[in-house]
């Protein structure tokens, strides 16, 4: 069996360098980006939920925050939360830069997230745009592992289900009068003018 570094039948094989999780180098395909983004997001939300449950901050029956149970923030709580937030933000930026590299774009383009309204279009571009199908300025075509494909499709399905359930809940609340429709809000707002 030929080794991975041996020459192929049609020429020299170019070795694919393994990039670490914390490295901005290399490329990240569309499904890999969705999978890693979703996995990191669910992990972060899960850690926050466990911390909130441990401090009895959430009433799970009403899904409301118990503000009366808020303890005085300690140094360790603030430091731990800050470290967790910085790690989450750093990994999101790394994934975004590597996704931009797959699109043969500079990582500096990620600064578009700081511009309101344009950040929504930019996020859609990252998720929907097809990467370059051949080697580009940032490396070879990335391989998407099976777990990334599975996780990405799970994230996509969960996103569609949550979007549908949220819209049904809003529609139900507007129908029962718990939530006013935009037309009613505008009509009440016009009374003051």
């Amino acid at each position: 069996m030929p080794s991975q570094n041996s020459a192929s039948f049609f020429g020299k094989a170019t070795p694919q360098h393994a990039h670490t999780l914390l490295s901005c180098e290399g490329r990240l395909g569309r499904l890999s980006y969705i999978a890693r983004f979703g996995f990191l997001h669910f992990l972060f939300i899960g850690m926050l939920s466990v911390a909130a449950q441990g401090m009895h901050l959430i009433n799970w029956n009403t899904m409301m925050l118990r503000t009366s149970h808020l303890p005085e923030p300690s140094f360790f709580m603030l430091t731990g939360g800050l470290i967790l937030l910085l790690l989450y933000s750093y990994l999101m930026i790394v994934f975004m830069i590597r996704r931009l590299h797959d699109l043969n774009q500079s990582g500096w383009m990620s600064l578009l997230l700081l511009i309101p309204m344009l950040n929504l279009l930019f996020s859609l571009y990252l998720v929907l745009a097809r990467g370059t199908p051949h080697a580009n300025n940032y490396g070879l075509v990335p391989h998407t592992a099976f777990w990334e494909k599975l996780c990405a499709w799970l994230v996509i399905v969960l996103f569609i289900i949550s979007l549908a359930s949220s819209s049904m809940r809003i529609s139900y609340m507007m129908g029962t009068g718990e939530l006013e429709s935009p037309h009613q809000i505008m009509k009440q707002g016009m009374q003051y003018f």
Side-chain angles (χ1 to χ4, degrees), residues 85-154:
L85 183 63
L86 287 175
L87 182 64
Y88 173 79
S89 301
Y90 177 75
L91 286 174
M92 284 299 174
I93 291 169
V94 166
F95 296 158
M96 189 181 319
I97 290 172
R98 289 179 67 181
R99 177 69 182 127
L100 283 167
H101 288 175
D102 188 46
L103 299 166
N104 208 17
Q105 302 289 335
S106 170
W108 288 104
M109 215 174 149
S110 62
L111 293 176
L112 290 175
L113 279 180
L114 300 176
I115 302 172
M117 297 305 289
L118 190 58
N119 56 6
L120 297 173
L121 296 174
F122 179 67
S123 297
L124 284 175
Y125 170 69
L126 287 176
V127 171
L128 299 177
R130 184 173 180 230
T132 51
H134 48 78
N136 64 16
N137 298 339
Y138 299 98
L140 300 173
V141 177
H143 172 71
T144 304
F146 176 74
W147 75 267
E148 290 175 325
K149 291 176 185 177
L150 186 66
C151 188
W153 282 109
L154 183 65

Side-chain angles (χ1 to χ4, degrees), residues 5-43:
N5 292 334
S6 66
S8 67
F9 181 78
F10 293 106
K12 291 185 178 179
T14 52
Q16 178 132 3
H17 301 290
H19 300 286
T20 63
L21 182 68
L22 303 175
S23 170
C24 290
E25 295 179 12
R27 296 168 57 177
L28 200 59
R30 185 174 19 189
L31 287 178
S32 297
Y33 175 73
I34 293 170
R36 292 178 187 207
F37 180 88
F39 181 75
L40 186 63
H41 185 71
F42 285 126
L43 184 66

Side-chain angles (χ1 to χ4, degrees), residues 173-189:
M173 290 174 73
M174 288 168 70
T176 59
E178 291 179 55
L179 186 66
E180 295 177 347
S181 68
H183 178 32
Q184 293 170 329
I185 293 171
M186 291 292 288
K187 188 176 179 182
Q188 288 178 356

